[in-house]
Amino acid sequence: MSNKLPQAVTSLVKPTDNELLAAFPGEVQGRLFPHLELCTLEMGKVLYEAGDAMRYVYFPTDCIIALVYEMEDGASAEISVVGLEGILGIAAFMGGESTSSRAIALHAGHCFRLPAQRLQHEFNNDSSARMILLRYTQSLIAQMGQTAVCNRHHTIDQQLCRWLLLSLDRLPGDKISMTQELIANMLGVRRESVTEAAGKLQHRGVIRYQRGRITVIDRPQLEELCCECYAVVKKESIRLNPNNSMQKKLGYVQNITTI
Amino acid sequence: MSNKLPQAVTSLVKPTDNELLAAFPGEVQGRLFPHLELCTLEMGKVLYEAGDAMRYVYFPTDCIIALVYEMEDGASAEISVVGLEGILGIAAFMGGESTSSRAIALHAGHCFRLPAQRLQHEFNNDSSARMILLRYTQSLIAQMGQTAVCNRHHTIDQQLCRWLLLSLDRLPGDKISMTQELIANMLGVRRESVTEAAGKLQHRGVIRYQRGRITVIDRPQLEELCCECYAVVKKESIRLNPNNSMQKKLGYVQNITTI
DNA sequence: GTCACTATGTGCGGTATCGCACATATCCCA
DNA sequence: TGGGATATGTGCGATACCGCACATAGTGAC
């Protein structure tokens, strides 16, 4: 698996690829952009450990970052993911300086890094930037809550579908580079269970995969096999972040009624 | 089961019994307190449905409110609880106006109601009130995340312990008025499973109960039987809300090391 | 092309929890 | 004081998932 990205790509990544950065008012952008630092993330890179002070916040453009809770016995589970629609490091403006989750890059790609204090300053002084950040935070909360319920009630088959859709929304194209082992870690289940669920999907012609490379062939069917959790979260995310690009990837979800 | 509260109690409830109201700066209290309205909640009272616009926020003093996600098939699970340490209705200041969870009174008691706009106004104009509310919100997020992981990895026995401790922290005394049916609904498991788990605890002499009345006899043992999730959440809550009264109820938790 | 490594496939016994059915106990109220 | 409602206890088969062991198949490095 190649985690390395061609150097040429780097120059094509713009701050405004991240939807929060893009949504900030012009003056805020003017003050922040000079301090942004482009970073390349390899898969598996840990950006924060649980309890770490957040010196930087990160704005993904084409990578995916997972927020993971790990327990004493090593068992873990992802509680939410962050991509181009969001920001990693909400504790920077929520006032807590740290969180009890670890942040880990699930999918290689790029992000912009900003000293936490700079964002905090804008958060405190620009009500419009504040609103954008808080609404995003609320959508993150919605995602976490739905994940909790999904963990409790839905089968691994359904959760895998949710997870694939979640990832797909945050990546260009229809390919996801991720091993079943990693997916299992994120869902908090056995690798073998993922193998089995993925096998079923491949058999049905929904996806195709080989050694850490998944291609989604039939997205509508994937949405149908998925539990409602995906649609609920997405709907709430779109409501709270009106410029969210995920609207373009709605697919069948458009037809799902409000809960 | 008596959900009715003696009229005399009502007059003893003060706004400052709620820790957030108590923590607000004097000027903020001066502006808000005249608009507070004391409410009596009976068990099972629904304060918000998922998606409801939040016209009011609620500050519990001696009741417990659960945030519950309900799914299409009727299955549900609690993602967090709110008591005297917090506020119900964070969407009022997060900017979303509504959330996708239902809020339901788990334990009868009192709370103070405030028009959402009043709080929003203070949130926007008083940075100190804002900080208090945001830090509380972050502790709520921590609670949700840990609940999600707990759902995934821990046994019902452990989760029941967590749940009892969570409730105990928000109530005066050592008695919890709640049926096993309701607890099962909150944990998102069968009522029979709760019966079995509660039976074990009673057998061990940790609790005593009869028809919806649970008395905790041996709290230290309860903490020992519990998964780490309770302690992790509590620790984070105390870190983020320094005046939190739960410190007084620490028990064994004081000895648990940082994750 | 070969080799070591990593990713995936498969089988099997164990167990926590479910769903259901029904018995029993306790409480409240007529 | 009894009867209906509600809360709790118990048993049993079904099943989703786990933990482990090991087989197989791509893939990159040399």
Side-chain angles (χ1 to χ4, degrees):
Chain A
M1 177 170 343
S2 160
N3 289 326
K4 292 181 197 103
L5 294 138
Q7 205 56 22
V9 171
T10 307
S11 57
L12 295 175
V13 180
K14 311 180 298 295
T16 50
D17 289 347
N18 177 277
E19 294 170 8
L20 293 185
L21 286 176
F24 283 156
E27 324 88 78
V28 176
Q29 290 182 339
R31 286 190 294 268
L32 291 184
F33 283 13
H35 301 98
L36 290 174
E37 212 179 317
L38 181 61
C39 305
T40 301
L41 294 181
E42 300 204 355
M43 189 170 90
K45 167 80 182 172
V46 173
L47 291 142
Y48 299 126
E49 284 293 346
D52 274 5
M54 292 187 174
R55 298 184 45 231
Y56 295 95
V57 298
Y58 301 84
F59 297 92
T61 59
D62 58 358
C63 66
I64 301 182
I65 296 166
L67 301 182
V68 177
Y69 271 59
E70 189 159 326
M71 296 193 305
E72 285 162 6
D73 64 357
S76 66
E78 166 204 292
I79 51 156
S80 55
V81 298
V82 180
L84 79 170
E85 85 293 349
I87 177 177
L88 171 67
I90 58 166
F93 54 83
M94 293 297 282
E97 294 99 38
S98 73
T99 63
S100 35
S101 59
R102 142 188 297 185
I104 177 169
L106 275 191
H107 204 282
H110 300 86
C111 64
F112 287 92
R113 187 170 91 156
L114 180 74
Q117 289 168 341
R118 300 240 174 231
L119 185 70
Q120 203 175 10
H121 186 260
E122 297 301 329
F123 180 87
N124 288 329
N125 295 292
D126 186 286
S127 67
S128 164
R130 185 160 69 226
M131 194 194 77
I132 289 165
L133 290 168
L134 288 179
R135 288 179 74 97
Y136 167 72
T137 302
Q138 202 190 317
S139 70
L140 199 68
I141 292 174
Q143 196 191 345
M144 290 175 55
Q146 199 72 38
T147 303
V149 188
C150 196
N151 273 356
R152 168 60 75 207
H153 292 290
H154 292 146
T155 63
I156 294 183
D157 290 4
Q158 292 175 304
Q159 295 187 50
L160 176 60
C161 294
R162 173 172 66 80
W163 202 87
L164 289 173
L165 289 166
L166 222 58
S167 302
L168 213 51
D169 282 349
R170 289 165 178 80
L171 293 171
D174 55 358
K175 290 186 181 22
I176 302 170
S177 294
M178 218 158 320
T179 65
Q180 299 181 354
E181 176 89 46
L182 184 58
I183 297 177
N185 263 309
M186 290 304 115
L187 295 180
V189 300
R190 281 186 321 156
R191 195 266 312 160
E192 294 91 325
S193 301
V194 173
T195 299
E196 208 182 327
K200 288 188 211 165
L201 288 180
Q202 176 151 259
H203 191 75
R204 275 171 161 271
V206 180
I207 62 173
R208 196 157 14 92
Y209 65 90
Q210 10 106 40
R211 282 182 84 78
R213 243 160 289 210
I214 305 172
T215 308
V216 176
I217 300 168
D218 187 348
R219 188 184 161 120
Q221 207 189 339
L222 194 57
E223 293 185 5
E224 254 170 45
L225 292 172
C226 186
C227 50
E228 68 204 82
C229 299
Y230 168 70
V232 168
V233 168
K234 183 155 184 166
K235 195 160 190 163
E236 186 70 354
S237 177
I238 290 171
R239 180 179 80 84
L240 290 164
N241 309 294
N243 297 321
N244 195 302
S245 70
M246 289 185 197
Q247 288 184 67
K248 296 175 215 144
K249 297 192 184 180
L250 264 180
Y252 275 28
V253 171
Q254 280 176 308
N255 300 319
I256 294 195
T257 52
T258 322
I259 52 157
Chain B
M1 179 170 339
S2 162
N3 289 326
K4 292 179 198 106
L5 294 139
Q7 206 56 21
V9 172
T10 307
S11 56
L12 296 175
V13 180
K14 309 181 298 295
T16 49
D17 288 347
N18 177 278
E19 293 169 10
L20 293 186
L21 287 176
F24 284 155
E27 324 88 76
V28 174
Q29 289 182 339
R31 286 191 295 270
L32 291 184
F33 284 14
H35 301 99
L36 289 175
E37 211 179 317
L38 181 61
C39 304
T40 301
L41 293 181
E42 300 204 354
M43 188 171 89
K45 168 80 181 173
V46 174
L47 291 142
Y48 299 126
E49 283 293 346
D52 274 6
M54 292 187 171
R55 300 182 46 228
Y56 294 96
V57 297
Y58 300 84
F59 297 92
T61 58
D62 58 358
C63 65
I64 301 181
I65 297 166
L67 301 182
V68 177
Y69 271 58
E70 191 159 326
M71 296 193 305
E72 285 162 5
D73 65 356
S76 65
E78 166 204 291
I79 51 154
S80 56
V81 298
V82 180
L84 79 168
E85 84 293 350
I87 177 178
L88 171 65
I90 57 166
F93 54 82
M94 293 297 281
E97 294 99 37
S98 73
T99 62
S100 36
S101 59
R102 144 188 295 185
I104 177 169
L106 276 191
H107 204 282
H110 301 85
C111 63
F112 286 91
R113 187 170 90 158
L114 180 74
Q117 289 168 339
R118 301 241 173 230
L119 185 70
Q120 202 175 10
H121 185 262
E122 298 300 330
F123 181 85
N124 288 329
N125 295 291
D126 187 286
S127 68
S128 162
R130 185 160 68 228
M131 194 195 78
I132 289 166
L133 290 168
L134 288 179
R135 287 179 76 97
Y136 168 69
T137 302
Q138 200 190 319
S139 70
L140 199 66
I141 292 174
Q143 198 191 343
M144 289 174 56
Q146 199 71 38
T147 303
V149 189
C150 195
N151 274 355
R152 166 62 74 208
H153 293 290
H154 293 145
T155 63
I156 295 184
D157 290 3
Q158 291 175 304
Q159 295 188 49
L160 176 61
C161 294
R162 175 174 62 83
W163 202 89
L164 289 172
L165 289 167
L166 222 58
S167 301
L168 214 50
D169 281 348
R170 288 164 177 80
L171 293 171
D174 55 359
K175 289 187 181 24
I176 302 170
S177 293
M178 219 156 324
T179 65
Q180 299 182 354
E181 175 88 49
L182 184 59
I183 297 176
N185 263 309
M186 291 305 113
L187 295 181
V189 300
R190 284 184 319 157
R191 194 267 312 159
E192 294 91 324
S193 301
V194 173
T195 299
E196 209 182 326
K200 286 188 211 165
L201 289 180
Q202 176 151 259
H203 190 75
R204 275 173 160 270
V206 180
I207 61 171
R208 196 158 12 95
Y209 65 92
Q210 10 105 37
R211 280 182 87 76
R213 242 160 289 211
I214 304 171
T215 308
V216 176
I217 300 168
D218 187 348
R219 187 183 162 119
Q221 206 187 339
L222 194 57
E223 291 184 7
E224 255 170 45
L225 293 172
C226 187
C227 48
E228 69 204 82
C229 299
Y230 167 71
V232 169
V233 168
K234 184 156 184 164
K235 194 158 191 167
E236 185 70 355
S237 176
I238 290 171
R239 181 178 78 85
L240 291 163
N241 309 293
N243 296 321
N244 197 304
S245 70
M246 288 182 198
Q247 287 184 69
K248 295 175 213 142
K249 298 192 183 179
L250 265 180
Y252 277 29
V253 172
Q254 280 176 306
N255 300 321
I256 295 195
T257 52
T258 321
I259 52 159

